Amino acid sequence: MPDLPQAVYARNMRLVGHSNQGGRGDGLQVMVHRGYAYVGHPWSAGFTIADVRDPKRPGETWFIPAPPNTWTIHLQTHGDLLLVVHALDVFARMKLADEKAYYGRSVGDALGEAQSRDWSAGVAIYDIARPQAPRQIGFFPIAGVGAHRIWHDGGRYAYVSALLDGFADYILLIVDIADPTRPIEAGRYWLPGLNRAAGETPDWPSDHRYALHHALVAGDTAYACWRDGGLTILDVADKAKPRLIAHRNWSPPFGGGTHSPLPLPDRNLLIVADEAVADAEGDGRKHVWVFDIREPANPVSIATFPTPDDADYAAKGAHFGPHNLHENRQGSFVSSSVIFATWQNAGVRAFDISDSYRPREIGAFVPAAPTRMIDRRPDRPKVIQSADVFVDAAGLIYATDYNAGLSIIEFAG
């Protein structure tokens, strides 16, 4: 077995494989599908496909470059389809190069209307029947900054967060991909105040960012996270007219950044992670929340996950706090009692929520610090920033990092 990076901390988890993703160690969203890992890059301008059929010895990689000035940081796989976001690489724009500028106000307001477009905006659709040779077969164009994240786990529709001209920030688009070569919009939803073109004005402070990060859908219900705008539960039975069931926002007093939903319909529970978006908890202590959704119109928070305390992570540097959750996709590891989350400089964590009122940590893995910084933003600390987590049906954990490559982790919990 090749030499593996030495973990900083591990409990009930061990590293069994590692990929430097063809020399492009930066990763954001990861999907593992039919023995191949699909990784979106935040800095390397494209996405990588890695052969992980032998997870202890990841094999060849294939890099698909993005169009100029374009982010392809999030993607989804199902069947023979791969959906990849296209959006303006906002961190390459001086107005938004500082994280405070990106997270601290509406992106549409910060950028203004583009006089000319030198990037690609929309969703690219690939045929991945042959993973080594993805073939683009369709494109859903977006007039604006582009798409940020997608939810598609089979079926006719994809659920896309998109920033369109005339809107202050990202909203929900429902896209019909019955014919993936000709995707069309089926419907849209936004929080009142985001549609500037229609004369709407926000009722939130200018230093708050109300923007859809993404929605997960179970049945005819979409659970959507809106950063500083909190959580919405939507009835999407009528794709053309999504209907609000409930809206909850706990910012203030908490620091916003509501980011990742995970519905557990069989238990009438909803897990929601708030993203830490400032170094050293500069935006406050962020949490993963447990909601009771027996009455969808009245979601009630009943617990939070324990915060990692095996080290002083707030003092470690960079971001400390939740980011993404493993999403119980078809064909992956699916559980309503064991939840996996990335905690940025505290690595990957596993939690047991058998008692939904008392979540407890049952596993942790903090990867080694990156050997090379790929994050091009100035003065970023050289520490781990675990970004996304995917757990396959065999229980192997795949975790990306902004600089340190793809970690493949065995869970012994």
Side-chain angles (χ1 to χ4, degrees):
M1 182 184 299
D3 291 339
L4 295 174
Q6 185 67 41
V8 173
Y9 174 76
R11 183 167 71 89
N12 285 337
M13 294 185 186
R14 70 182 184 97
L15 190 68
V16 296
H18 184 269
S19 172
N20 71 358
Q21 300 166 171
R24 300 174 177 87
D26 57 316
L28 217 160
Q29 192 163 27
V30 56
M31 295 277 122
V32 180
H33 184 58
R34 296 174 176 169
Y36 292 83
Y38 297 77
V39 178
H41 296 296
W43 320 116
S44 291
F47 66 92
T48 286
I49 303 170
D51 183 346
V52 293
R53 288 175 293 178
D54 181 350
K56 294 182 179 180
R57 295 175 178 81
E60 192 172 355
T61 62
W62 298 268
F63 177 68
I64 293 80
N69 306 308
T70 300
W71 251 354
T72 54
I73 56 176
H74 291 127
L75 38 75
Q76 298 274 277
T77 55
H78 187 272
D80 287 339
L81 293 183
L82 167 69
L83 280 63
V84 181
V85 303
H86 281 205
L88 171 67
D89 181 351
V90 295
F91 281 162
R93 291 295 199 263
M94 289 304 296
K95 291 180 180 180
L96 292 171
D98 186 318
E99 284 188 312
K100 292 180 180 178
Y102 178 64
Y103 293 113
R105 62 179 295 194
S106 295
V107 167
D109 291 346
L111 289 172
E113 293 291 328
Q115 300 304 308
S116 62
R117 299 194 195 279
D118 58 355
W119 70 92
S120 175
V123 177
I125 303 176
Y126 292 83
D127 181 322
I128 52 168
R130 295 180 60 228
Q132 308 92 329
R135 181 172 58 90
Q136 187 172 334
I137 58 172
F139 190 78
F140 175 74
I142 292 172
V145 169
H148 186 70
R149 190 152 161 169
I150 314 166
W151 171 254
H152 175 64
D153 196 25
R156 178 173 177 173
Y157 298 98
Y159 298 81
V160 179
S161 58
L163 178 43
L164 298 85
D165 289 340
F167 285 84
D169 223 310
Y170 287 84
I171 70 168
L172 175 65
L173 293 184
I174 303 175
V175 180
D176 186 338
I177 58 170
D179 180 352
T181 69
R182 294 179 177 84
I184 58 173
E185 181 180 334
R188 59 178 63 180
Y189 177 87
W190 63 91
L191 292 178
L194 286 173
N195 192 344
R196 300 294 174 80
E200 296 179 3
T201 56
D203 60 2
W204 54 87
S206 61
D207 62 349
H208 282 50
R209 187 176 174 208
Y210 279 43
L212 179 69
H213 188 266
H214 70 299
L216 262 64
V217 178
D220 288 328
T221 306
Y223 303 86
C225 291
W226 296 85
R227 298 192 184 271
D228 299 340
L231 167 76
T232 60
I233 300 177
L234 305 171
D235 181 338
V236 293
D238 183 347
K239 309 304 179 191
K241 297 179 180 178
R243 179 179 63 83
L244 180 66
I245 298 171
H247 182 198
R248 293 290 183 271
N249 194 4
W250 43 96
S251 170
F254 294 94
T258 302
H259 186 275
S260 296
L262 175 61
L264 306 174
D266 59 318
R267 295 185 64 194
N268 286 314
L269 295 175
L270 173 68
I271 311 302
V272 179
D274 288 351
E275 180 189 14
V277 299
D279 291 348
E281 295 191 315
D283 52 341
R285 173 64 54 88
K286 296 300 181 71
H287 296 285
V288 176
W289 306 84
V290 183
F291 281 87
D292 182 318
I293 55 170
R294 284 176 292 174
E295 176 46 67
N298 186 31
V300 177
S301 176
I302 59 173
T304 58
F305 285 19
T307 298
D309 61 1
D310 47 89
D312 187 354
Y313 290 107
K316 181 178 179 179
H319 296 179
F320 168 50
H323 193 189
N324 281 306
L325 306 171
H326 171 65
E327 294 178 335
N328 281 354
R329 298 176 62 82
Q330 294 183 61
S332 74
F333 176 85
V334 176
S335 175
S336 294
S337 59
V338 178
I339 309 299
F340 294 88
T342 53
W343 223 273
Q344 303 193 73
N345 73 6
V348 179
R349 303 282 160 157
F351 300 89
D352 184 337
I353 62 163
S354 298
D355 182 343
S356 58
Y357 294 94
R358 295 179 179 83
R360 60 189 182 93
E361 185 182 289
I362 56 172
F365 188 88
V366 183
T371 58
R372 182 167 68 96
M373 292 295 287
I374 299 169
D375 185 341
R376 59 177 177 263
R377 296 171 296 175
D379 304 320
R380 297 308 299 154
K382 196 175 182 180
V383 300
I384 206 76
Q385 292 281 262
S386 294
D388 193 26
V389 57
F390 183 100
V391 187
D392 71 14
L396 284 177
I397 302 162
Y398 297 77
T400 57
D401 180 76
Y402 280 164
N403 297 282
L406 180 68
S407 297
I408 306 173
I409 303 159
E410 184 178 73
F411 176 48

